[in-house]
Amino acid sequence: MRDDNDNKMVQCPTPVQQHVNITIAHGGGGSQMHQLIEDLFIKIFDSEELKRAHDGAVFNGQKKRFAFTTDSFVVSPLFFPGGNIGSLAVLGTVNDLAMCGARPLYISAGFIIEEGFSVEMLNQITHSMKIAADKTNAKIVTGDTKIVEHGKGDGVYINTSGIGIMDHELDISPTSIEPGDSIIINRDIGRHGIAIMSVREGLQFETSIESDIAPLANSIIALIENDIRIRCLRDLTRGGLASALTELAGSSRLHFVLEERSIPVSSAVNNACEILGLDPLQVANEGTFILFAPQSDAEKALNILRNDLNWPEASKIGRVVDDENGLVTLVTVLGAERIITMPAGEQLPRIC
Amino acid sequence: MRDDNDNKMVQCPTPVQQHVNITIAHGGGGSQMHQLIEDLFIKIFDSEELKRAHDGAVFNGQKKRFAFTTDSFVVSPLFFPGGNIGSLAVLGTVNDLAMCGARPLYISAGFIIEEGFSVEMLNQITHSMKIAADKTNAKIVTGDTKIVEHGKGDGVYINTSGIGIMDHELDISPTSIEPGDSIIINRDIGRHGIAIMSVREGLQFETSIESDIAPLANSIIALIENDIRIRCLRDLTRGGLASALTELAGSSRLHFVLEERSIPVSSAVNNACEILGLDPLQVANEGTFILFAPQSDAEKALNILRNDLNWPEASKIGRVVDDENGLVTLVTVLGAERIITMPAGEQLPRIC
């Protein structure tokens, strides 16, 4: 099944200390800080580990491989079509675990909150985090809160780190990519970046474009359980498809050849990119990934993605060839071939 | 042995891109970001996991318990007597693992950097992180970099999360504290907070006061290896001794009785607190911890701390009594008894 994409702003059943704003005292280590942590984090995240009020969470190890990842989120605006910084913070890290081939287990949450920030808004954000964590069967088990003076932050920044476990023996890594592998994408590109930019620039497009933000772990687990020999995975966040592929081509020292006609881009995103002067290949995503697998597994993987996991736009977008040049080239719809480079200069700032 | 306390600013052997400042492009997911990550993080932190350039680090599990913790650091100023935000970020998280009774293994590092921040300073900070990690035998294995516009941060904020492993069967936790336990501290209190305040307020004291910042894991491991039955541990960070004890008394629903004459405070810190109008019990520390152990283990623990681990001021500061009132009381040097409360209102902001 496809992970549900519904990470919109949450109605809070019991808003805590509404209409109050964060003060410096909320970060001082005293009673106000403890009340804030109790009301907004321990109650909402609702994990046994947090309730123990210890310096960290303790869990039992297993003789399997684990993955460990971290991401800070500074997205602006904090709320955008399809999600908010809270759902983004949890799903971003859960997806990084998924890209290692891991099943997400534990999430940490570190908040850097600007003095004056609305407690009600923080409440909405933490509720979204809880909903996102529940969807991925991950638990928020440890956290931290810091308050900075007004003008030294921008509402709230959130760091999440995550631990996941590997239920398989695959070596999913840039170094596992081999000549002949197919490059497959799960869906159309560019939605997250355009959703953020449309709010930030106050743009209205014909059809509203929502972020593609979605949990990806269940899709990856299903592919592995169906014996797809995944060599490498990468979610297409900052810098988009272009950045992910050029980085992987560089690490693997192989040549990736893309077919422009096979890369799914919605007409809404294409139109918005034209207006904004952006290349869809370089625009950020938050629920979009590429996978490398042997050519003989490609059709089966596409079938599973399209039919079982509800990614109807899943597509084989290219292949790996045996030139040790570390290049990514694109065969355009007109048949010309051009080199894809890593984006340079100012991209879209604070997209995640 | 005592962990070495020398976390001062580091001389950088090969400064990278000196005199350059961070730009928004360094966070865009493109070539500048990759160059920054390569030069300042992968080269300096120098771990196999980071070099793999994957979305997370992968490690082998063990059938032991693990601890997982997170902390964000927003200390101001970034450099202070005894350390900087880099050493603080690594040692703060490593110490939280130690307070769970865990041996630190893996650290993540998430940077939120303000546009315009000096690359040279960032280089000093990352070198300090590497030195601090090496001291504690922990590896920085995964990271993330975000850039925010000038005026939306304050130089650099760092989140570190950490994973450690338990080599013992003790249940070190607030719920393990028992009536009759002794409360032991490793050293004199208040140095970190006063070190920060003295820089911030431009104060010069007779003797310069350095932060107590130090790695604590080796001390905890040595106590456990010497069969001290540790019930609970807590490092005294924001809110100081008063905050840690009132929180633990509340969680354990027991009554802690402290002896004021046994709480080590240097005259330098005492004098500074008088000038600044602070209570040393409420001032932050970064290398100071309390431990709860059965009274019958107290003398042995003190001997190990003072003689083997080089904490000469280690002291038994109080005991746990069987009133289920969750209170902390202090018997003053004059014999009166007063209730210690959690600090309220604005404490020292941005102390860690």
Side-chain angles (χ1 to χ4, degrees), chain A residues 29 31 34 54-55 57 59 61 64 66 68-69 71-72 144-146 149 152 157 161 238 243 247 343 350, chain B residues 29 31 34 55 57 59 61 64 66 68-69 71-72 144-146 149 152 157 161 172 238 243 247 343 350:
Chain A
S31 49
H34 283 88
H54 203 10
D55 274 340
F59 60 93
K64 289 181 172 178
F66 283 82
F68 178 35
T69 188
D71 235 332
S72 297
D144 177 61
T145 312
K146 294 291 188 312
E149 302 91 329
K152 301 291 185 188
Y157 299 144
S161 300
R238 277 181 292 180
S243 186
E247 193 186 326
R350 311 231 349 236
Chain B
S31 50
H34 284 89
D55 274 339
F59 59 93
K64 289 182 173 178
F66 283 82
F68 178 36
T69 189
D71 235 332
S72 297
D144 176 61
T145 312
K146 293 291 187 312
E149 302 91 328
K152 301 290 184 189
Y157 300 143
S161 299
I172 296 172
R238 277 182 291 179
S243 186
E247 193 185 327
R350 315 250 324 253

Side-chain angles (χ1 to χ4, degrees), chain A residues 75-86:
Chain A
V75 66
S76 172
L78 296 172
F79 293 80
F80 50 82
N84 65 48
I85 190 171

Side-chain angles (χ1 to χ4, degrees), chain A residues 73-126:
Chain A
F73 296 85
V74 299
V75 66
S76 172
L78 296 172
F79 293 80
F80 50 82
N84 65 48
I85 190 171
S87 50
L88 186 64
V90 168
L91 296 179
T93 282
V94 158
N95 288 349
D96 278 347
L97 292 173
M99 296 304 116
C100 298
R103 176 163 52 87
L105 293 177
Y106 306 112
I107 307 281
S108 68
F111 295 85
I112 297 174
I113 309 172
E114 187 187 10
E115 180 186 14
F117 188 58
S118 143
V119 169
E120 191 186 348
M121 213 173 269
L122 190 58
N123 193 30
Q124 290 178 345
I125 289 166
T126 50

Side-chain angles (χ1 to χ4, degrees), chain B residues 35 55 62 69 74 93-94 114-115 142 147 161 169 267 271 282 345 350:
Chain B
Q35 194 61 47
D55 274 339
Q62 296 184 46
T69 189
V74 300
T93 282
V94 159
E114 187 187 11
E115 180 187 15
T142 188
I147 314 294
S161 299
E169 300 299 323
S267 57
N271 293 343
Q282 300 189 350
R350 315 250 324 253

Side-chain angles (χ1 to χ4, degrees), chain A residues 4-324:
Chain A
D4 191 316
N5 199 351
D6 181 14
N7 298 302
K8 303 196 184 66
M9 213 187 302
V10 181
Q11 296 303 319
C12 309
T14 53
V16 187
Q17 301 166 290
Q18 292 224 38
H19 313 305
V20 175
N21 290 338
I22 294 289
T23 66
I24 290 292
H26 283 114
S31 49
Q32 288 98 322
M33 186 177 97
H34 283 88
Q35 195 60 47
L36 180 80
I37 290 172
E38 180 65 34
D39 288 353
L40 277 183
F41 304 130
I42 298 182
K43 276 192 192 147
I44 293 172
F45 296 152
D46 189 32
S47 69
E48 284 310 308
E49 291 81 359
L50 277 174
K51 284 180 196 151
R52 292 191 87 198
H54 203 10
D55 274 340
V58 174
F59 60 93
N60 289 315
Q62 295 183 45
K63 271 194 169 282
K64 289 181 172 178
R65 289 174 302 161
F66 283 82
F68 178 35
T69 188
T70 194
D71 235 332
S72 297
F73 296 85
V74 299
V75 66
S76 172
L78 296 172
F79 293 80
F80 50 82
N84 65 48
I85 190 171
S87 50
L88 186 64
V90 168
L91 296 179
T93 282
V94 158
N95 288 349
D96 278 347
L97 292 173
M99 296 304 116
C100 298
R103 176 163 52 87
L105 293 177
Y106 306 112
I107 307 281
S108 68
F111 295 85
I112 297 174
I113 309 172
E114 187 187 10
E115 180 186 14
F117 188 58
S118 143
V119 169
E120 191 186 348
M121 213 173 269
L122 190 58
N123 193 30
Q124 290 178 345
I125 289 166
T126 50
H127 271 93
S128 297
M129 293 177 77
K130 167 67 172 162
I131 290 172
D134 282 350
K135 270 184 202 164
T136 60
N137 296 316
K139 287 196 295 183
I140 300 170
V141 295
T142 187
D144 177 61
T145 312
K146 294 291 188 312
I147 315 294
V148 295
E149 302 91 329
H150 184 66
K152 301 291 185 188
D154 196 9
V156 62
Y157 299 144
I158 304 177
N159 175 284
T160 52
S161 300
I163 298 176
I165 194 166
M166 312 280 214
D167 296 318
H168 57 82
E169 301 298 323
L170 294 172
D171 180 19
I172 296 172
S173 151
T175 51
S176 298
I177 299 172
E178 289 189 19
D181 282 356
S182 296
I183 308 171
I184 291 169
I185 198 164
N186 68 317
R187 66 166 297 162
D188 61 308
I189 59 173
R191 289 188 177 270
H192 180 73
I194 297 301
I196 300 285
M197 288 306 286
S198 63
V199 184
R200 223 188 281 168
E201 307 290 322
L203 296 176
Q204 296 286 340
F205 300 111
E206 278 170 57
T207 42
S208 97
I209 299 170
E210 288 205 344
S211 169
D212 60 321
I213 180 171
L216 299 173
N218 289 353
S219 292
I220 303 303
I221 291 166
L223 288 164
I224 294 172
E225 284 176 351
N226 279 283
D227 299 323
I228 302 300
R229 290 166 292 172
I230 296 174
R231 313 261 211 213
C232 188
L233 292 161
R234 186 61 55 102
D235 55 343
L236 311 177
T237 54
R238 277 181 292 180
L241 181 64
S243 186
L245 283 175
T246 48
E247 193 186 326
L248 290 175
S251 314
S252 64
R253 294 209 182 97
L254 291 166
H255 178 183
F256 302 164
V257 181
L258 305 182
E259 295 286 340
E260 188 175 29
R261 82 183 74 216
S262 308
I263 300 173
V265 192
S266 71
S267 58
V269 166
N270 246 335
N271 293 343
C273 281
E274 276 182 26
I275 292 166
L276 294 164
L278 298 170
D279 177 353
L281 295 182
Q282 300 189 350
V283 175
N285 311 267
E286 283 295 339
T288 307
F289 67 93
I290 45 171
L291 78 82
F292 292 74
Q295 197 188 337
S296 50
D297 286 5
E299 274 310 308
K300 185 177 172 190
L302 283 170
N303 263 326
I304 295 168
L305 284 166
R306 289 179 187 149
N307 303 319
D308 301 344
L309 300 170
N310 198 19
W311 300 111
E313 304 103 341
S315 175
K316 179 183 160 186
I317 60 169
R319 65 191 199 282
V320 180
V321 298
D322 196 3
D323 284 343
E324 292 195 354

Side-chain angles (χ1 to χ4, degrees), chain B residues 234-248:
Chain B
R234 186 61 53 104
D235 55 344
L236 311 177
T237 55
R238 277 182 291 179
L241 181 63
S243 186
L245 284 174
T246 48
E247 193 185 327
L248 290 176

